[in-house]
Amino acid sequence: MKRREFIRTAGVGAGLAWSLNAFAAKEKESAKKRSANDRINIGLIGVKNLGGKVHMPSVIGSAECQLVGICDVDANVAQDALAKAEVLYAEQAGKSGYKGIKTYGDFRELLRRPDLDAVMIATPDHWHVPLAKEAIRAGLDVYVEKPLSLHIEEGRELVELLKKHPQVLQVGSQQRSQEKFIIASEFVRNGLLGEVKHVDVSIMTRSGSAEKWEPEPIPEGLDYDMWLGPAPWSEYHSERVHYNFRFVPEISGGEIANWGAHFLDTAQMGLGTDHTGPVSVRGMGQRNPVGARHTSFFDLDVDYEYANGVTMKLHSGKNGVTFFGTRGQLYVNRDELWTDPKELIREYKQRDDLAVRLRKTKGSHFQNWLSCVRSRKADDLHASAEVGHRSATLCHLANIAIDLGRPLYWNPERESFVADAHANALVNRPSRAKWRF
């Protein structure tokens, strides 16, 4: 009896029984014995931007999986995505006329599907952890977009939940699977830059709209109450939803949690600090006035320090990371990788005895996840929940430090600020009672 049949027999409600989780553990352990033709059935949650433009084509284009469900709180977005999905399938040989995809407005209905194996979550930030938790409890594997969390405490809760469940969760920090960033991190981690002293992280930041925010009527087809979900209630405005959620602090960590989640993650990867973090942080930034449509921080200048004395600066500019060591410097972004002096990178290419190798599976970040779903080897993930949590924490620390406007001291083991009740009150955010999970 497979998981799909078990769910159908047991009758899954909004909460899943512990017996289901126990069964899922056994069944998932045997997943590696499945035929290569047994496709992984995937549901997409959030299909307006990355979900529809990146994840959907990835799923449809892979022989490893099948798209069976599309979920979005905007019915119009869901229908548009369905039409595009059917076109993409029709363009593939042997799949002409595929009509096996169902749309959902409520993620809970999708999670109850007895034939579902995994979900990909590409919603606004405030839904990442709640959706991932519910999917894990439903016995499903998860790919969740960065930043992993909206606040520090919920990220840790997700990491701890996964310790009790056998599910495979990948965070969408895709630079971890891209060649330039792997080379850069292996270079630094193997000591070819000498002793690292400082890291410079530059990210693009936008101010959003400073225009005054006035409520607008909720458009037909949008379940706005569910779109807000655990976030505080606020009236609807078209410039505060869909992609522009990123500039609304109640929903997202702003550009710090957007580009910062990628390039601070690269810094963590290169420093080998995926299971810890800095011990102090201070920062400055600008924001639009209260009452503006968008009030997240921009024009950033944030300083971190690690326990070993390594310092790091996060600031606005062109996306990229520079590591400064006693032998020179290394710069990496999505288009460039160079060292100064130039000879250093040649040394890396000539070495076949490096102690630290970071690529665990071949292919893209998405393929890395699929490979681990098949093998059940979560240790082979390039961006585990712990990795995503620690990198998201750097983003949250920056926002908190800028907000409070003073130096803060952080204990990365306890994940709390040192002797600072005000700052510690900001490691969590209350959820609306209706949307607590």
Side-chain angles (χ1 to χ4, degrees):
M1 190 187 234
K2 293 193 173 183
R3 171 190 174 277
R4 301 169 186 172
E5 297 167 344
F6 182 85
I7 294 177
R8 189 179 295 113
T9 302
V12 181
L16 296 173
W18 282 105
S19 57
L20 172 59
N21 292 323
F23 179 87
K26 293 180 180 179
E27 200 279 329
K28 292 292 185 181
E29 276 299 313
S30 66
K32 55 189 174 185
K33 300 178 182 178
R34 293 176 180 170
S35 164
N37 294 324
D38 184 8
R39 299 186 181 200
I40 300 165
N41 284 343
I42 294 179
L44 302 180
I45 306 178
V47 290
K48 176 65 175 176
N49 294 299
L50 274 177
K53 297 174 182 177
V54 177
H55 298 328
M56 187 169 69
S58 296
V59 173
I60 293 173
S62 172
E64 283 284 298
C65 51
Q66 185 80 40
L67 178 59
V68 298
I70 289 173
C71 181
D72 201 287
V73 295
D74 190 323
N76 297 315
V77 170
Q79 288 303 313
D80 286 347
L82 176 62
K84 291 175 183 176
E86 291 180 344
V87 168
L88 287 173
Y89 269 122
E91 290 174 349
Q92 293 190 29
K95 293 183 180 179
S96 179
Y98 174 66
K99 300 291 183 181
I101 307 169
K102 185 177 179 180
T103 59
Y104 301 85
D106 189 325
F107 71 92
R108 291 166 292 196
E109 295 178 11
L110 171 64
L111 298 188
R112 291 177 197 142
R113 275 190 71 142
D115 62 342
L116 194 64
D117 297 311
V119 294
M120 300 185 74
I121 300 167
T123 62
D125 300 357
H126 70 305
W127 265 115
H128 288 179
V129 167
L131 287 171
K133 283 182 176 179
E134 290 303 286
I136 290 164
R137 291 175 181 137
L140 303 169
D141 296 316
V142 177
Y143 185 108
V144 57
E145 267 307 326
K146 43 57 61 180
L148 177 62
S149 59
L150 181 67
H151 58 79
I152 296 170
E153 190 172 289
E154 69 170 2
R156 174 50 58 192
E157 289 173 357
L158 179 60
V159 172
E160 296 305 311
L161 178 67
L162 277 164
K163 293 178 181 179
K164 303 174 184 177
H165 295 264
Q167 275 61 62
V168 173
L169 183 145
Q170 175 93 300
V171 180
S173 301
Q174 74 269 20
Q175 291 178 179
R176 294 233 167 198
S177 297
Q178 294 175 353
E179 201 66 27
K180 286 184 177 63
F181 296 96
I182 292 172
I183 291 172
S185 296
E186 288 182 350
F187 188 99
V188 176
R189 294 272 288 274
N190 282 284
L192 300 182
L193 201 61
E195 183 181 358
V196 177
K197 297 292 187 179
H198 179 71
V199 185
D200 182 275
V201 180
S202 178
I203 62 171
M204 179 179 70
T205 62
R206 295 162 293 175
S207 62
S209 171
E211 291 186 27
K212 188 176 180 181
W213 169 44
E214 295 287 349
E216 296 177 349
I218 299 172
E220 185 177 350
L222 173 64
D223 186 342
Y224 182 61
D225 182 55
M226 182 173 281
W227 188 92
L228 282 175
W233 175 263
S234 63
E235 298 298 325
Y236 172 84
H237 191 286
S238 57
E239 290 297 315
R240 289 166 59 87
V241 298
H242 293 316
Y243 185 81
N244 285 325
F245 76 84
R246 199 166 298 288
F247 304 106
V248 182
E250 296 84 3
I251 304 297
S252 167
E255 294 285 26
I256 293 175
N258 180 24
W259 287 114
H262 282 304
F263 289 94
L264 288 170
D265 180 70
T266 293
Q268 286 273 101
M269 185 179 177
L271 290 174
T273 52
D274 286 338
H275 291 79
T276 185
V279 295
S280 69
V281 58
R282 68 180 70 197
M284 298 181 295
Q286 302 296 318
R287 73 190 323 171
N288 291 324
V290 174
R293 291 178 186 173
H294 303 144
T295 54
S296 61
F297 292 116
F298 57 95
D299 286 351
L300 312 171
D301 192 318
V302 181
D303 293 299
Y304 304 87
E305 184 170 353
Y306 288 78
N308 61 1
V310 173
T311 57
M312 181 164 67
K313 179 176 285 291
L314 169 68
H315 60 91
S316 297
K318 176 185 175 182
N319 288 337
V321 180
T322 308
F323 295 90
F324 294 86
T326 52
R327 298 186 67 203
Q329 58 182 297
L330 178 147
Y331 176 82
V332 62
N333 67 15
R334 293 182 180 181
D335 301 313
E336 300 177 74
L337 171 62
W338 51 261
T339 59
D340 185 12
K342 294 179 180 180
E343 306 84 63
L344 289 179
I345 197 65
R346 298 194 197 110
E347 183 178 343
Y348 170 87
K349 295 176 181 178
Q350 295 167 356
R351 295 281 295 273
D352 56 6
D353 61 341
L354 298 179
V356 179
R357 291 291 188 183
L358 299 177
R359 181 176 284 283
K360 299 175 183 178
T361 65
K362 296 180 180 180
S364 68
H365 203 57
F366 173 65
Q367 291 167 333
N368 171 243
W369 176 59
L370 291 182
S371 175
C372 294
V373 168
R374 286 287 188 193
S375 70
R376 311 315 300 164
K377 295 180 180 179
D379 288 344
D380 286 345
L381 289 166
H382 289 166
S384 67
E386 179 73 30
V387 164
H389 165 60
R390 292 293 186 170
S391 294
T393 294
L394 285 177
C395 303
H396 303 323
L397 291 177
N399 271 317
I400 293 171
I402 297 171
D403 192 23
L404 295 182
R406 53 184 170 79
L408 301 174
Y409 300 94
W410 177 248
N411 185 322
E413 280 67 50
R414 295 183 178 181
E415 294 189 306
S416 63
F417 292 99
V418 179
D420 196 325
H422 190 179
N424 279 322
L426 301 177
V427 302
N428 189 7
R429 298 195 192 185
S431 298
R432 286 196 293 157
K434 180 180 178 180
W435 298 104
R436 289 188 191 131
F437 298 95

